[in-house]
Every structure is written in structure tokens, then in C-alpha cells.
Amino acid sequence: ITDADFANGAQCCSIDGYVLFREAGAGRFFGSDLNDASSYDALFFATAEGLSDNIVGIIADHRQAVLAGEDSLELWYNAGISGFPFIRDANGFIEIGCAAGETLAKVDNTVFFLASDLTVRRLDGNTPMRISTHGVEQAISTYTTSNAFGYGYTQGGHLFYILTFPTSDATWVYDATTQ
């Protein structure tokens, strides 16, 4: 991307013809022009408003941008207003953060992530439901989490969330179908 208005984009997602990026090392996110991922307006940005924490991850879910901060999550949607069209959902502030933005993954029609309290969670609407056990959490507390990543896949009719800690040489698998 050669547009001079393109900021320091780290992760991205796409919603309604816009490509949204989180700005690396900041509490801001920004978007492309409509249906043009190579064109950017310096005024097409917003900041996480609930807490002034660093946004570590972004993912699209049900036409909403899930902004994962270190201490909170926020849900933003395209309101169709002039200028930057995304605004925070009225109930889109969640008082738990994300330990590593690359752990955000869509599985079973929702978002899974490693929370800032080192629990593994899935969003149930706007509620971050704990899916990890105390034993799993105890193990995770001994790992390096900064480079953890997550992803989902389907096998044999089952939906799985995979959470990997490369530095600690550990991987956990959650079967979302059977819980």
C-alpha cells in the first residue's frame, strides 16, 4: 500500500467493503476507503473509547469489528454516517482484555481468544464466557503468551479452536461441538 495516509497497520479485517486495521502499538484503528483497499483517508480512524488501552487484535464477527485491547474489548459497527462510518455499539464494551491479539479466531459462529486473565474465552453475544478449566489455566500461567496464536478448523463434523504457545512448545485444542 503506497497511500501516504496509510498508518502503521498491524492486523486487518474486512466489513461492508472497508478494510479495517489496528494501528500497531496504539489504541487506534483505521479503515480504507469504501471498496478500495489501496486508498486511505487520514481522517478515517477512531480510538478505543472505553479504556485507553493498546489494541492488540482485531477481527470481524457478524459485521462488527471486535477490537481486542489489553484490558478491554469493544464492538464497533458500520453506522453508515459520513466520514469514518464506524461507531461503538451501545452495549459494545467488555471489561476483559486479550493477552495476545493473534489468539482471536472465529469458530462456531463466534470469537474465541486468550483473555488478559489467562483464561480461554468465547464471546456469547457481548459476554466473554470462560471455556478453560482451572487445570488448563494453571498450565497457561507458566507459558510465554506474547506470541500465542489461535485458529479454528472443522474435522469429522466437529469445530475446534486451537491455541498454540510456540515459545513454550504447547498447544491446547477445544472441541466447540461437544464443549
Side-chain angles (χ1 to χ4, degrees), residues 128-171:
M129 303 298 293
R130 179 176 163 255
I131 61 167
S132 53
T133 64
H134 292 294
V136 170
E137 294 157 8
Q138 176 59 38
I140 289 173
S141 72
T142 67
Y143 301 157
T144 300
T145 59
S146 59
N147 64 346
F149 64 91
Y151 63 95
Y153 79 97
T154 303
Q155 181 179 353
H158 289 257
L159 304 168
F160 296 97
Y161 172 63
I162 313 307
L163 183 56
T164 297
F165 302 87
T167 303
S168 304
D169 196 27
T171 296

Side-chain angles (χ1 to χ4, degrees), residues 71-139:
D71 300 313
S72 66
L73 276 75
E74 294 190 12
L75 306 176
W76 288 64
Y77 71 98
N78 179 359
I81 56 177
S82 64
F84 189 60
F86 288 84
I87 63 173
R88 190 174 78 196
D89 185 288
N91 295 315
F93 178 75
I94 301 167
E95 293 181 339
I96 193 161
C98 182
E102 296 293 332
T103 64
L104 293 166
K106 284 199 53 161
V107 179
D108 195 24
N109 211 25
T110 192
V111 174
F112 287 72
F113 63 101
L114 178 63
S116 54
D117 63 357
L118 301 185
T119 58
V120 183
R121 297 189 179 248
R122 71 179 281 161
L123 289 180
D124 183 4
N126 294 357
T127 304
M129 303 298 293
R130 179 176 163 255
I131 61 167
S132 53
T133 64
H134 292 294
V136 170
E137 294 157 8
Q138 176 59 38

Side-chain angles (χ1 to χ4, degrees), residues 7 36 40 52 126 140 173:
D36 188 354
Y40 293 82
S52 59
N126 294 357
I140 289 173
V173 179

Side-chain angles (χ1 to χ4, degrees), residues 16-88:
D16 297 341
Y18 295 94
V19 178
L20 301 177
F21 290 85
R22 73 174 177 87
E23 190 172 329
R28 291 177 16 143
F29 73 106
F30 64 94
S32 69
D33 290 343
L34 181 62
N35 296 322
D36 188 354
S38 65
S39 180
Y40 293 82
D41 182 325
L43 300 178
F44 270 34
F45 74 92
T47 57
E49 299 169 343
L51 285 176
S52 59
D53 56 341
N54 182 31
I55 298 173
V56 297
I58 186 171
I59 193 168
D61 181 48
H62 295 90
R63 295 185 59 227
Q64 288 185 315
V66 177
L67 302 176
E70 295 169 337
D71 300 313
S72 66
L73 276 75
E74 294 190 12
L75 306 176
W76 288 64
Y77 71 98
N78 179 359
I81 56 177
S82 64
F84 189 60
F86 288 84
I87 63 173
R88 190 174 78 196

